[in-house]
Amino acid sequence: MDSWISSQSGLGDPDDIYGPHRKLIRPNMALVVVDVRPTNPLDFRIDVIQGYRLPTGLTDVGALQQPHTFSDFPDTRYLQETMIPAYVGAMERQRPAMRRVATRVLDTVIGYDQIILPQKNSSRRSEWCIGLLDIHFLLPTASKDGSLDDVDLTILQLLAEGSSTKEIASASNLSYRTIEHRIDNLKSRFRARNIAHLAVLSVSAGLGGIVSKDP
Protein backbone atom coordinates (compact mmCIF):
# COMPACT_ATOMS: atom_id res chain seq x y z
CA MET A 1 0.00 0.00 0.00
CA ASP A 2 2.85 2.39 0.81
CA SER A 3 4.41 1.69 -2.60
CA TRP A 4 1.08 2.41 -4.29
CA ILE A 5 0.62 5.66 -2.36
CA SER A 6 4.07 6.90 -3.41
CA SER A 7 3.74 5.75 -7.04
CA GLN A 8 3.39 8.26 -9.85
CA SER A 9 0.34 8.71 -12.06
CA GLY A 10 0.71 6.77 -15.29
CA LEU A 11 3.26 4.30 -13.88
CA GLY A 12 3.69 1.75 -16.66
CA ASP A 13 5.14 -1.24 -14.84
CA PRO A 14 3.25 -2.69 -11.86
CA ASP A 15 6.46 -4.51 -10.86
CA ASP A 16 7.69 -1.18 -9.53
CA ILE A 17 5.01 -1.49 -6.84
CA TYR A 18 5.03 -5.19 -5.97
CA GLY A 19 8.59 -6.10 -6.97
CA PRO A 20 10.39 -4.86 -3.82
CA HIS A 21 7.95 -6.80 -1.64
CA ARG A 22 7.76 -10.21 -3.37
CA LYS A 23 9.94 -11.83 -0.73
CA LEU A 24 7.24 -11.02 1.84
CA ILE A 25 4.55 -12.96 -0.02
CA ARG A 26 3.81 -16.15 1.91
CA PRO A 27 2.92 -19.55 0.36
CA ASN A 28 -0.77 -19.10 1.23
CA MET A 29 -0.93 -15.90 -0.84
CA ALA A 30 -1.43 -15.26 -4.54
CA LEU A 31 -0.26 -12.21 -6.47
CA VAL A 32 -1.78 -11.35 -9.85
CA VAL A 33 -1.75 -8.50 -12.35
CA VAL A 34 -4.91 -7.86 -14.35
CA ASP A 35 -4.82 -5.99 -17.66
CA VAL A 36 -7.97 -3.85 -17.50
CA ARG A 37 -7.48 -1.90 -20.74
CA PRO A 38 -10.23 -3.71 -22.75
CA THR A 39 -13.63 -2.04 -22.58
CA ASN A 40 -15.28 -5.45 -22.15
CA PRO A 41 -14.33 -6.94 -18.75
CA LEU A 42 -14.52 -10.43 -20.25
CA ASP A 43 -11.41 -9.49 -22.22
CA PHE A 44 -9.42 -8.53 -19.12
CA ARG A 45 -6.29 -10.69 -18.88
CA ILE A 46 -5.03 -12.06 -15.59
CA ASP A 47 -1.39 -13.08 -15.11
CA VAL A 48 -0.34 -14.94 -12.00
CA ILE A 49 2.92 -13.47 -10.71
CA GLN A 50 3.06 -15.79 -7.72
CA GLY A 51 0.53 -18.51 -7.08
CA TYR A 52 -0.72 -20.40 -4.05
CA ARG A 53 2.14 -22.71 -3.04
CA LEU A 54 0.92 -24.76 -0.10
CA PRO A 55 0.52 -28.48 -0.86
CA THR A 56 -3.07 -29.38 -1.70
CA GLY A 57 -4.89 -32.23 -3.36
CA LEU A 58 -7.60 -29.91 -4.69
CA THR A 59 -7.13 -30.10 -8.44
CA ASP A 60 -9.06 -26.89 -9.16
CA VAL A 61 -6.34 -24.78 -7.55
CA GLY A 62 -3.81 -25.38 -10.32
CA ALA A 63 -6.37 -24.74 -13.05
CA LEU A 64 -7.34 -21.41 -11.52
CA GLN A 65 -3.76 -20.14 -11.57
CA GLN A 66 -3.09 -20.33 -15.30
CA PRO A 67 -2.80 -17.08 -17.32
CA HIS A 68 -6.13 -16.41 -19.02
CA THR A 69 -8.68 -13.82 -19.98
CA PHE A 70 -11.70 -13.43 -17.75
CA SER A 71 -13.84 -15.04 -20.46
CA ASP A 72 -11.78 -18.23 -20.06
CA PHE A 73 -12.41 -18.42 -16.32
CA PRO A 74 -14.17 -21.72 -15.65
CA ASP A 75 -16.63 -20.52 -12.99
CA THR A 76 -19.05 -18.02 -14.55
CA ARG A 77 -20.94 -17.25 -11.34
CA TYR A 78 -17.79 -16.37 -9.42
CA LEU A 79 -16.54 -14.33 -12.37
CA GLN A 80 -19.71 -12.25 -12.71
CA GLU A 81 -20.52 -11.84 -9.01
CA THR A 82 -17.06 -11.46 -7.50
CA MET A 83 -14.15 -10.93 -9.90
CA ILE A 84 -15.54 -8.47 -12.44
CA PRO A 85 -17.21 -6.07 -9.93
CA ALA A 86 -14.06 -5.97 -7.80
CA TYR A 87 -11.64 -5.10 -10.59
CA VAL A 88 -13.96 -2.81 -12.52
CA GLY A 89 -14.78 -0.91 -9.32
CA ALA A 90 -11.12 -0.44 -8.37
CA MET A 91 -10.20 0.56 -11.92
CA GLU A 92 -13.01 3.11 -12.24
CA ARG A 93 -12.37 4.69 -8.83
CA GLN A 94 -8.58 4.41 -9.14
CA ARG A 95 -8.53 3.70 -5.44
CA PRO A 96 -7.40 0.59 -3.54
CA ALA A 97 -10.14 -1.91 -2.75
CA MET A 98 -10.01 -4.25 0.25
CA ARG A 99 -12.49 -6.97 1.08
CA ARG A 100 -13.02 -10.35 2.70
CA VAL A 101 -14.60 -13.15 0.69
CA ALA A 102 -15.90 -16.62 1.53
CA THR A 103 -17.44 -18.42 -1.42
CA ARG A 104 -17.37 -21.43 -3.70
CA VAL A 105 -15.22 -21.57 -6.83
CA LEU A 106 -15.78 -24.68 -8.94
CA ASP A 107 -15.49 -27.55 -6.46
CA THR A 108 -13.54 -25.64 -3.83
CA VAL A 109 -14.77 -23.49 -0.95
CA ILE A 110 -12.35 -20.62 -0.49
CA GLY A 111 -11.94 -17.84 2.04
CA TYR A 112 -9.53 -14.95 1.57
CA ASP A 113 -8.72 -11.32 2.20
CA GLN A 114 -7.96 -9.31 -0.92
CA ILE A 115 -6.44 -5.98 -1.80
CA ILE A 116 -6.62 -4.54 -5.31
CA LEU A 117 -4.29 -1.70 -6.30
CA PRO A 118 -5.20 0.02 -9.60
CA GLN A 119 -2.77 2.01 -11.67
CA LYS A 120 -3.04 5.71 -10.91
CA ASN A 121 -3.78 7.45 -14.17
CA SER A 122 -5.15 10.97 -13.92
CA SER A 123 -5.43 11.42 -17.70
CA ARG A 124 -7.43 8.25 -18.45
CA ARG A 125 -8.66 4.96 -16.96
CA SER A 126 -6.27 2.55 -15.25
CA GLU A 127 -4.50 0.09 -17.52
CA TRP A 128 -3.76 -2.55 -14.88
CA CYS A 129 -4.59 -3.62 -11.37
CA ILE A 130 -2.50 -5.58 -8.89
CA GLY A 131 -4.42 -8.16 -6.87
CA LEU A 132 -3.09 -9.80 -3.70
CA LEU A 133 -5.03 -12.61 -2.03
CA ASP A 134 -4.30 -13.80 1.50
CA ILE A 135 -5.99 -17.21 1.39
CA HIS A 136 -7.21 -18.45 4.78
CA PHE A 137 -8.72 -21.75 3.70
CA LEU A 138 -9.33 -24.01 0.73
CA LEU A 139 -11.88 -26.73 1.43
CA PRO A 140 -13.42 -29.50 -0.65
CA THR A 141 -17.08 -28.84 -1.33
CA ALA A 142 -19.87 -30.67 0.44
CA SER A 143 -23.63 -30.39 0.15
CA LYS A 144 -25.88 -29.45 3.03
CA ASP A 145 -27.84 -32.40 4.36
CA GLY A 146 -31.28 -31.26 5.46
CA SER A 147 -32.01 -34.63 7.08
CA LEU A 148 -29.47 -34.17 9.86
CA ASP A 149 -31.15 -34.39 13.27
CA ASP A 150 -30.24 -32.55 16.46
CA VAL A 151 -27.78 -35.26 17.57
CA ASP A 152 -26.02 -35.18 14.20
CA LEU A 153 -25.70 -31.40 14.37
CA THR A 154 -24.36 -31.63 17.93
CA ILE A 155 -21.75 -34.18 16.89
CA LEU A 156 -20.60 -32.07 13.92
CA GLN A 157 -20.41 -28.92 16.03
CA LEU A 158 -18.36 -30.59 18.75
CA LEU A 159 -16.09 -32.34 16.24
CA ALA A 160 -15.36 -28.95 14.69
CA GLU A 161 -14.43 -27.72 18.18
CA GLY A 162 -11.98 -30.60 18.60
CA SER A 163 -14.02 -32.69 21.03
CA SER A 164 -13.32 -36.41 21.36
CA THR A 165 -15.95 -39.10 20.92
CA LYS A 166 -16.03 -39.57 24.69
CA GLU A 167 -16.56 -35.84 25.27
CA ILE A 168 -19.34 -35.75 22.67
CA ALA A 169 -21.06 -38.70 24.33
CA SER A 170 -20.92 -36.96 27.69
CA ALA A 171 -22.26 -33.67 26.30
CA SER A 172 -25.06 -35.47 24.46
CA ASN A 173 -26.02 -37.77 27.33
CA LEU A 174 -25.62 -40.72 24.97
CA SER A 175 -23.39 -43.77 25.10
CA TYR A 176 -19.93 -43.86 23.58
CA ARG A 177 -21.05 -46.66 21.22
CA THR A 178 -24.05 -44.62 20.05
CA ILE A 179 -21.85 -41.65 19.20
CA GLU A 180 -19.35 -43.93 17.48
CA HIS A 181 -22.13 -45.40 15.35
CA ARG A 182 -23.47 -41.93 14.57
CA ILE A 183 -20.03 -40.71 13.50
CA ASP A 184 -19.58 -43.71 11.20
CA ASN A 185 -22.98 -42.95 9.67
CA LEU A 186 -22.05 -39.29 9.17
CA LYS A 187 -18.73 -40.24 7.57
CA SER A 188 -20.63 -42.38 5.10
CA ARG A 189 -23.17 -39.65 4.32
CA PHE A 190 -20.50 -36.99 3.81
CA ARG A 191 -18.14 -39.45 2.08
CA ALA A 192 -15.48 -38.51 4.61
CA ARG A 193 -12.27 -40.52 4.85
CA ASN A 194 -11.80 -39.89 8.56
CA ILE A 195 -13.12 -37.78 11.44
CA ALA A 196 -10.98 -34.76 10.57
CA HIS A 197 -12.25 -34.90 6.99
CA LEU A 198 -15.83 -35.14 8.29
CA ALA A 199 -15.39 -31.99 10.38
CA VAL A 200 -13.95 -30.11 7.39
CA LEU A 201 -16.75 -31.23 5.06
CA SER A 202 -19.42 -30.21 7.56
CA VAL A 203 -17.91 -26.72 7.76
CA SER A 204 -17.57 -26.58 3.98
CA ALA A 205 -21.25 -27.49 3.54
CA GLY A 206 -22.22 -24.44 5.57
CA LEU A 207 -19.80 -22.05 3.83
CA GLY A 208 -20.40 -23.03 0.23
CA GLY A 209 -23.26 -20.62 -0.39
CA ILE A 210 -21.83 -17.66 1.51
CA VAL A 211 -20.36 -14.67 -0.28
CA SER A 212 -19.02 -11.99 2.04
CA LYS A 213 -17.50 -8.79 0.68
CA ASP A 214 -16.19 -5.44 1.79
CA PRO A 215 -15.48 -5.82 5.54
Side-chain angles (χ1 to χ4, degrees):
M1 181 66 81
D2 289 343
S3 294
W4 181 88
I5 290 171
S6 61
S7 66
Q8 300 299 311
S9 176
L11 178 67
D13 191 350
D15 180 76
D16 291 344
I17 293 177
Y18 68 74
H21 310 290
R22 285 190 65 176
K23 63 180 181 296
L24 301 176
I25 299 174
R26 303 182 64 188
N28 66 306
M29 296 179 175
L31 175 69
V32 302
V33 173
V34 178
D35 182 343
V36 296
R37 286 174 296 179
T39 54
N40 184 349
L42 292 176
D43 295 326
F44 289 178
R45 178 176 175 81
I46 182 168
D47 287 298
V48 179
I49 307 303
Q50 185 163 303
Y52 184 85
R53 292 174 291 142
L54 292 180
T56 175
L58 299 172
T59 57
D60 289 340
V61 175
L64 294 174
Q65 298 190 112
Q66 300 301 315
H68 53 262
T69 61
F70 275 19
S71 62
D72 296 325
F73 197 79
D75 190 319
T76 303
R77 181 196 60 80
Y78 177 74
L79 174 71
Q80 296 290 346
E81 295 180 4
T82 304
M83 289 182 66
I84 287 177
Y87 282 97
V88 169
M91 176 264 292
E92 289 179 344
R93 293 189 297 269
Q94 293 193 16
R95 300 292 300 171
M98 293 177 285
R99 62 188 186 153
R100 177 164 293 170
V101 175
T103 190
R104 175 173 175 168
V105 184
L106 296 177
D107 289 325
T108 299
V109 174
I110 181 172
Y112 59 86
D113 287 324
Q114 181 182 47
I115 182 170
I116 299 175
L117 301 174
Q119 177 201 34
K120 295 180 187 175
N121 204 331
S122 56
S123 62
R124 56 188 184 278
R125 59 184 278 171
S126 299
E127 296 183 352
W128 47 258
C129 292
I130 299 169
L132 179 67
L133 278 68
D134 184 3
I135 300 171
H136 302 304
F137 58 81
L138 293 171
L139 305 176
T141 56
S143 300
K144 276 192 172 181
D145 187 340
S147 65
L148 297 175
D149 63 20
D150 291 352
V151 175
D152 293 329
L153 294 174
T154 296
I155 290 170
L156 293 174
Q157 175 63 38
L158 293 175
L159 284 177
E161 294 177 16
S163 298
S164 67
T165 304
K166 183 177 180 180
E167 289 168 335
I168 295 171
S170 176
S172 306
N173 292 318
L174 295 170
S175 71
Y176 178 90
R177 292 297 182 191
T178 297
I179 297 301
E180 240 187 358
H181 175 73
R182 286 275 193 154
I183 289 174
D184 286 340
N185 189 315
L186 286 167
K187 283 164 60 179
S188 177
R189 289 162 71 177
F190 277 89
R191 298 182 181 179
R193 294 190 296 270
N194 50 51
I195 289 180
H197 194 210
L198 173 60
V200 166
L201 290 175
S202 69
V203 172
S204 174
L207 288 173
I210 296 173
V211 181
S212 176
K213 305 175 185 178
D214 303 324

mmCIF file of all heavy atoms in Angstrom, residues 91-123:
data_model
loop_
_atom_site.group_PDB
_atom_site.id
_atom_site.type_symbol
_atom_site.label_atom_id
_atom_site.label_comp_id
_atom_site.label_asym_id
_atom_site.label_seq_id
_atom_site.Cartn_x
_atom_site.Cartn_y
_atom_site.Cartn_z
ATOM 1 N N MET A 91 -10.709 -0.139 -10.747
ATOM 2 C CA MET A 91 -10.198 0.562 -11.923
ATOM 3 C C MET A 91 -10.919 1.885 -12.140
ATOM 4 O O MET A 91 -10.297 2.923 -12.416
ATOM 5 C CB MET A 91 -10.350 -0.344 -13.152
ATOM 6 C CG MET A 91 -9.953 0.292 -14.472
ATOM 7 S SD MET A 91 -11.398 0.972 -15.335
ATOM 8 C CE MET A 91 -12.287 -0.525 -15.746
ATOM 9 N N GLU A 92 -12.241 1.879 -11.996
ATOM 10 C CA GLU A 92 -13.007 3.107 -12.238
ATOM 11 C C GLU A 92 -12.750 4.156 -11.168
ATOM 12 O O GLU A 92 -12.677 5.351 -11.460
ATOM 13 C CB GLU A 92 -14.494 2.770 -12.313
ATOM 14 C CG GLU A 92 -14.877 2.001 -13.585
ATOM 15 C CD GLU A 92 -16.357 1.660 -13.627
ATOM 16 O OE1 GLU A 92 -17.013 1.749 -12.561
ATOM 17 O OE2 GLU A 92 -16.841 1.298 -14.715
ATOM 18 N N ARG A 93 -12.602 3.730 -9.918
ATOM 19 C CA ARG A 93 -12.366 4.692 -8.828
ATOM 20 C C ARG A 93 -10.897 5.086 -8.722
ATOM 21 O O ARG A 93 -10.582 6.112 -8.115
ATOM 22 C CB ARG A 93 -12.836 4.090 -7.498
ATOM 23 C CG ARG A 93 -14.335 3.897 -7.395
ATOM 24 C CD ARG A 93 -14.742 3.520 -5.981
ATOM 25 N NE ARG A 93 -14.158 2.237 -5.562
ATOM 26 C CZ ARG A 93 -14.759 1.069 -5.731
ATOM 27 N NH1 ARG A 93 -15.928 1.000 -6.325
ATOM 28 N NH2 ARG A 93 -14.178 -0.048 -5.319
ATOM 29 N N GLN A 94 -10.022 4.230 -9.279
ATOM 30 C CA GLN A 94 -8.576 4.414 -9.140
ATOM 31 C C GLN A 94 -8.188 4.570 -7.677
ATOM 32 O O GLN A 94 -7.348 5.393 -7.315
ATOM 33 C CB GLN A 94 -8.087 5.598 -9.979
ATOM 34 C CG GLN A 94 -8.206 5.358 -11.481
ATOM 35 C CD GLN A 94 -7.446 6.369 -12.316
ATOM 36 O OE1 GLN A 94 -6.586 7.091 -11.818
ATOM 37 N NE2 GLN A 94 -7.744 6.393 -13.600
ATOM 38 N N ARG A 95 -8.825 3.752 -6.858
ATOM 39 C CA ARG A 95 -8.534 3.704 -5.435
ATOM 40 C C ARG A 95 -8.371 2.250 -5.012
ATOM 41 O O ARG A 95 -9.005 1.360 -5.568
ATOM 42 C CB ARG A 95 -9.668 4.337 -4.623
ATOM 43 C CG ARG A 95 -9.941 5.795 -4.952
ATOM 44 C CD ARG A 95 -8.808 6.690 -4.531
ATOM 45 N NE ARG A 95 -8.552 6.620 -3.093
ATOM 46 C CZ ARG A 95 -7.505 7.175 -2.495
ATOM 47 N NH1 ARG A 95 -6.610 7.819 -3.223
ATOM 48 N NH2 ARG A 95 -7.350 7.071 -1.194
ATOM 49 N N PRO A 96 -7.536 1.975 -4.021
ATOM 50 C CA PRO A 96 -7.396 0.592 -3.544
ATOM 51 C C PRO A 96 -8.736 0.060 -3.039
ATOM 52 O O PRO A 96 -9.564 0.792 -2.499
ATOM 53 C CB PRO A 96 -6.384 0.714 -2.400
ATOM 54 C CG PRO A 96 -5.622 1.967 -2.684
ATOM 55 C CD PRO A 96 -6.616 2.897 -3.314
ATOM 56 N N ALA A 97 -8.930 -1.236 -3.234
ATOM 57 C CA ALA A 97 -10.137 -1.906 -2.747
ATOM 58 C C ALA A 97 -9.707 -3.062 -1.859
ATOM 59 O O ALA A 97 -8.832 -3.846 -2.230
ATOM 60 C CB ALA A 97 -10.981 -2.412 -3.921
ATOM 61 N N MET A 98 -10.307 -3.157 -0.683
ATOM 62 C CA MET A 98 -10.012 -4.246 0.246
ATOM 63 C C MET A 98 -11.314 -4.931 0.636
ATOM 64 O O MET A 98 -12.321 -4.261 0.852
ATOM 65 C CB MET A 98 -9.285 -3.722 1.487
ATOM 66 C CG MET A 98 -7.889 -3.202 1.200
ATOM 67 S SD MET A 98 -7.066 -2.512 2.660
ATOM 68 C CE MET A 98 -7.944 -0.952 2.805
ATOM 69 N N ARG A 99 -11.277 -6.250 0.716
ATOM 70 C CA ARG A 99 -12.487 -6.975 1.076
ATOM 71 C C ARG A 99 -12.142 -8.361 1.588
ATOM 72 O O ARG A 99 -11.027 -8.860 1.401
ATOM 73 C CB ARG A 99 -13.420 -7.101 -0.125
ATOM 74 C CG ARG A 99 -12.782 -7.884 -1.265
ATOM 75 C CD ARG A 99 -13.616 -7.832 -2.494
ATOM 76 N NE ARG A 99 -13.041 -8.705 -3.499
ATOM 77 C CZ ARG A 99 -13.738 -9.276 -4.454
ATOM 78 N NH1 ARG A 99 -15.033 -9.071 -4.534
ATOM 79 N NH2 ARG A 99 -13.166 -10.045 -5.337
ATOM 80 N N ARG A 100 -13.128 -8.979 2.221
ATOM 81 C CA ARG A 100 -13.020 -10.354 2.699
ATOM 82 C C ARG A 100 -14.087 -11.177 1.987
ATOM 83 O O ARG A 100 -15.240 -10.748 1.895
ATOM 84 C CB ARG A 100 -13.204 -10.412 4.207
ATOM 85 C CG ARG A 100 -13.190 -11.807 4.790
ATOM 86 C CD ARG A 100 -12.992 -11.751 6.295
ATOM 87 N NE ARG A 100 -11.649 -11.264 6.608
ATOM 88 C CZ ARG A 100 -11.267 -10.931 7.838
ATOM 89 N NH1 ARG A 100 -12.116 -10.997 8.845
ATOM 90 N NH2 ARG A 100 -10.027 -10.518 8.059
ATOM 91 N N VAL A 101 -13.694 -12.323 1.481
ATOM 92 C CA VAL A 101 -14.599 -13.154 0.689
ATOM 93 C C VAL A 101 -14.587 -14.583 1.203
ATOM 94 O O VAL A 101 -13.530 -15.134 1.529
ATOM 95 C CB VAL A 101 -14.187 -13.150 -0.810
ATOM 96 C CG1 VAL A 101 -15.056 -14.110 -1.616
ATOM 97 C CG2 VAL A 101 -14.285 -11.744 -1.383
ATOM 98 N N ALA A 102 -15.764 -15.186 1.299
ATOM 99 C CA ALA A 102 -15.899 -16.624 1.527
ATOM 100 C C ALA A 102 -16.929 -17.112 0.535
ATOM 101 O O ALA A 102 -18.075 -16.654 0.547
ATOM 102 C CB ALA A 102 -16.336 -16.929 2.948
ATOM 103 N N THR A 103 -16.530 -18.004 -0.371
ATOM 104 C CA THR A 103 -17.441 -18.425 -1.420
ATOM 105 C C THR A 103 -16.984 -19.752 -2.012
ATOM 106 O O THR A 103 -15.989 -20.339 -1.581
ATOM 107 C CB THR A 103 -17.527 -17.348 -2.523
ATOM 108 O OG1 THR A 103 -18.583 -17.665 -3.424
ATOM 109 C CG2 THR A 103 -16.223 -17.238 -3.299
ATOM 110 N N ARG A 104 -17.712 -20.199 -2.997
ATOM 111 C CA ARG A 104 -17.373 -21.433 -3.700
ATOM 112 C C ARG A 104 -16.870 -21.090 -5.096
ATOM 113 O O ARG A 104 -17.466 -20.270 -5.799
ATOM 114 C CB ARG A 104 -18.599 -22.345 -3.801
ATOM 115 C CG ARG A 104 -18.369 -23.599 -4.625
ATOM 116 C CD ARG A 104 -19.570 -24.528 -4.543
ATOM 117 N NE ARG A 104 -19.410 -25.674 -5.422
ATOM 118 C CZ ARG A 104 -20.179 -26.753 -5.381
ATOM 119 N NH1 ARG A 104 -21.162 -26.821 -4.495
ATOM 120 N NH2 ARG A 104 -19.991 -27.744 -6.202
ATOM 121 N N VAL A 105 -15.746 -21.697 -5.488
ATOM 122 C CA VAL A 105 -15.218 -21.570 -6.834
ATOM 123 C C VAL A 105 -15.026 -22.985 -7.372
ATOM 124 O O VAL A 105 -14.231 -23.761 -6.831
ATOM 125 C CB VAL A 105 -13.873 -20.807 -6.867
ATOM 126 C CG1 VAL A 105 -13.406 -20.618 -8.301
ATOM 127 C CG2 VAL A 105 -13.999 -19.463 -6.169
ATOM 128 N N LEU A 106 -15.765 -23.317 -8.414
ATOM 129 C CA LEU A 106 -15.783 -24.682 -8.935
ATOM 130 C C LEU A 106 -16.113 -25.647 -7.796
ATOM 131 O O LEU A 106 -17.135 -25.518 -7.166
ATOM 132 C CB LEU A 106 -14.451 -25.006 -9.620
ATOM 133 C CG LEU A 106 -14.125 -24.170 -10.875
ATOM 134 C CD1 LEU A 106 -12.750 -24.525 -11.415
ATOM 135 C CD2 LEU A 106 -15.192 -24.361 -11.942
ATOM 136 N N ASP A 107 -15.233 -26.574 -7.518
ATOM 137 C CA ASP A 107 -15.488 -27.554 -6.459
ATOM 138 C C ASP A 107 -14.656 -27.286 -5.217
ATOM 139 O O ASP A 107 -14.318 -28.205 -4.467
ATOM 140 C CB ASP A 107 -15.204 -28.973 -6.974
ATOM 141 C CG ASP A 107 -16.253 -29.424 -7.979
ATOM 142 O OD1 ASP A 107 -17.429 -29.043 -7.815
ATOM 143 O OD2 ASP A 107 -15.900 -30.139 -8.937
ATOM 144 N N THR A 108 -14.342 -26.023 -4.990
ATOM 145 C CA THR A 108 -13.540 -25.637 -3.830
ATOM 146 C C THR A 108 -14.222 -24.494 -3.094
ATOM 147 O O THR A 108 -14.690 -23.536 -3.713
ATOM 148 C CB THR A 108 -12.128 -25.197 -4.279
ATOM 149 O OG1 THR A 108 -11.476 -26.279 -4.935
ATOM 150 C CG2 THR A 108 -11.290 -24.764 -3.085
ATOM 151 N N VAL A 109 -14.298 -24.594 -1.780
ATOM 152 C CA VAL A 109 -14.774 -23.486 -0.948
ATOM 153 C C VAL A 109 -13.537 -22.724 -0.495
ATOM 154 O O VAL A 109 -12.590 -23.311 0.045
ATOM 155 C CB VAL A 109 -15.575 -23.997 0.261
ATOM 156 C CG1 VAL A 109 -15.937 -22.847 1.186
ATOM 157 C CG2 VAL A 109 -16.842 -24.710 -0.213
ATOM 158 N N ILE A 110 -13.537 -21.431 -0.734
ATOM 159 C CA ILE A 110 -12.345 -20.622 -0.489
ATOM 160 C C ILE A 110 -12.695 -19.400 0.347
ATOM 161 O O ILE A 110 -13.758 -18.807 0.182
ATOM 162 C CB ILE A 110 -11.690 -20.196 -1.835
ATOM 163 C CG1 ILE A 110 -10.420 -19.360 -1.604
ATOM 164 C CG2 ILE A 110 -12.684 -19.439 -2.712
ATOM 165 C CD1 ILE A 110 -9.643 -19.080 -2.884
ATOM 166 N N GLY A 111 -11.798 -19.060 1.252
ATOM 167 C CA GLY A 111 -11.944 -17.844 2.040
ATOM 168 C C GLY A 111 -10.652 -17.048 1.978
ATOM 169 O O GLY A 111 -9.564 -17.617 2.151
ATOM 170 N N TYR A 112 -10.745 -15.751 1.703
ATOM 171 C CA TYR A 112 -9.529 -14.952 1.569
ATOM 172 C C TYR A 112 -9.802 -13.479 1.842
ATOM 173 O O TYR A 112 -10.934 -12.999 1.741
ATOM 174 C CB TYR A 112 -8.930 -15.114 0.165
ATOM 175 C CG TYR A 112 -9.841 -14.717 -0.983
ATOM 176 C CD1 TYR A 112 -9.921 -13.402 -1.436
ATOM 177 C CD2 TYR A 112 -10.623 -15.673 -1.625
ATOM 178 C CE1 TYR A 112 -10.744 -13.045 -2.487
ATOM 179 C CE2 TYR A 112 -11.454 -15.328 -2.679
ATOM 180 C CZ TYR A 112 -11.508 -14.018 -3.112
ATOM 181 O OH TYR A 112 -12.345 -13.671 -4.164
ATOM 182 N N ASP A 113 -8.730 -12.776 2.194
ATOM 183 C CA ASP A 113 -8.722 -11.318 2.200
ATOM 184 C C ASP A 113 -8.035 -10.873 0.921
ATOM 185 O O ASP A 113 -7.059 -11.503 0.478
ATOM 186 C CB ASP A 113 -7.956 -10.780 3.412
ATOM 187 C CG ASP A 113 -8.732 -10.945 4.712
ATOM 188 O OD1 ASP A 113 -9.970 -10.808 4.680
ATOM 189 O OD2 ASP A 113 -8.097 -11.237 5.743
ATOM 190 N N GLN A 114 -8.511 -9.779 0.347
ATOM 191 C CA GLN A 114 -7.962 -9.312 -0.925
ATOM 192 C C GLN A 114 -7.742 -7.811 -0.898
ATOM 193 O O GLN A 114 -8.534 -7.063 -0.320
ATOM 194 C CB GLN A 114 -8.925 -9.657 -2.065
ATOM 195 C CG GLN A 114 -8.430 -9.238 -3.451
ATOM 196 C CD GLN A 114 -9.440 -9.567 -4.531
ATOM 197 O OE1 GLN A 114 -10.628 -9.280 -4.393
ATOM 198 N NE2 GLN A 114 -8.991 -10.201 -5.592
ATOM 199 N N ILE A 115 -6.657 -7.405 -1.536
ATOM 200 C CA ILE A 115 -6.437 -5.983 -1.798
ATOM 201 C C ILE A 115 -6.176 -5.841 -3.292
ATOM 202 O O ILE A 115 -5.458 -6.646 -3.886
ATOM 203 C CB ILE A 115 -5.264 -5.416 -0.962
ATOM 204 C CG1 ILE A 115 -5.099 -3.922 -1.237
ATOM 205 C CG2 ILE A 115 -3.957 -6.165 -1.236
ATOM 206 C CD1 ILE A 115 -4.138 -3.234 -0.291
ATOM 207 N N ILE A 116 -6.814 -4.846 -3.899
ATOM 208 C CA ILE A 116 -6.622 -4.539 -5.315
ATOM 209 C C ILE A 116 -6.064 -3.127 -5.422
ATOM 210 O O ILE A 116 -6.634 -2.177 -4.857
ATOM 211 C CB ILE A 116 -7.940 -4.650 -6.097
ATOM 212 C CG1 ILE A 116 -8.486 -6.078 -6.016
ATOM 213 C CG2 ILE A 116 -7.734 -4.240 -7.559
ATOM 214 C CD1 ILE A 116 -9.854 -6.248 -6.662
ATOM 215 N N LEU A 117 -4.947 -2.999 -6.126
ATOM 216 C CA LEU A 117 -4.291 -1.698 -6.300
ATOM 217 C C LEU A 117 -4.315 -1.340 -7.782
ATOM 218 O O LEU A 117 -3.596 -1.938 -8.588
ATOM 219 C CB LEU A 117 -2.842 -1.764 -5.801
ATOM 220 C CG LEU A 117 -2.644 -2.139 -4.328
ATOM 221 C CD1 LEU A 117 -1.155 -2.306 -4.023
ATOM 222 C CD2 LEU A 117 -3.263 -1.087 -3.416
ATOM 223 N N PRO A 118 -5.142 -0.369 -8.188
ATOM 224 C CA PRO A 118 -5.205 0.018 -9.597
ATOM 225 C C PRO A 118 -4.108 1.015 -9.949
ATOM 226 O O PRO A 118 -3.636 1.772 -9.094
ATOM 227 C CB PRO A 118 -6.581 0.679 -9.705
ATOM 228 C CG PRO A 118 -6.777 1.300 -8.354
ATOM 229 C CD PRO A 118 -6.114 0.371 -7.367
ATOM 230 N N GLN A 119 -3.716 0.995 -11.199
ATOM 231 C CA GLN A 119 -2.769 2.008 -11.672
ATOM 232 C C GLN A 119 -3.381 3.393 -11.486
ATOM 233 O O GLN A 119 -4.533 3.626 -11.826
ATOM 234 C CB GLN A 119 -2.462 1.783 -13.154
ATOM 235 C CG GLN A 119 -1.537 2.815 -13.766
ATOM 236 C CD GLN A 119 -1.646 2.880 -15.277
ATOM 237 O OE1 GLN A 119 -2.724 2.689 -15.833
ATOM 238 N NE2 GLN A 119 -0.534 3.137 -15.947
ATOM 239 N N LYS A 120 -2.606 4.313 -10.918
ATOM 240 C CA LYS A 120 -3.037 5.713 -10.905
ATOM 241 C C LYS A 120 -2.863 6.278 -12.315
ATOM 242 O O LYS A 120 -1.799 6.126 -12.920
ATOM 243 C CB LYS A 120 -2.168 6.532 -9.946
ATOM 244 C CG LYS A 120 -2.272 6.164 -8.490
ATOM 245 C CD LYS A 120 -1.330 7.080 -7.710
ATOM 246 C CE LYS A 120 -1.212 6.699 -6.273
ATOM 247 N NZ LYS A 120 -0.203 7.525 -5.577
ATOM 248 N N ASN A 121 -3.879 6.906 -12.818
ATOM 249 C CA ASN A 121 -3.781 7.452 -14.174
ATOM 250 C C ASN A 121 -4.756 8.615 -14.293
ATOM 251 O O ASN A 121 -5.926 8.431 -14.640
ATOM 252 C CB ASN A 121 -4.103 6.378 -15.223
ATOM 253 C CG ASN A 121 -3.475 6.699 -16.561
ATOM 254 O OD1 ASN A 121 -3.286 7.866 -16.890
ATOM 255 N ND2 ASN A 121 -3.175 5.667 -17.328
ATOM 256 N N SER A 122 -4.270 9.801 -13.981
ATOM 257 C CA SER A 122 -5.146 10.969 -13.919
ATOM 258 C C SER A 122 -5.684 11.370 -15.285
ATOM 259 O O SER A 122 -6.730 12.020 -15.381
ATOM 260 C CB SER A 122 -4.398 12.155 -13.296
ATOM 261 O OG SER A 122 -3.212 12.432 -14.024
ATOM 262 N N SER A 123 -5.005 10.980 -16.365
ATOM 263 C CA SER A 123 -5.426 11.416 -17.699
ATOM 264 C C SER A 123 -6.434 10.466 -18.338
ATOM 265 O O SER A 123 -7.140 10.840 -19.266
ATOM 266 C CB SER A 123 -4.206 11.567 -18.626
ATOM 267 O OG SER A 123 -3.552 10.312 -18.787
#
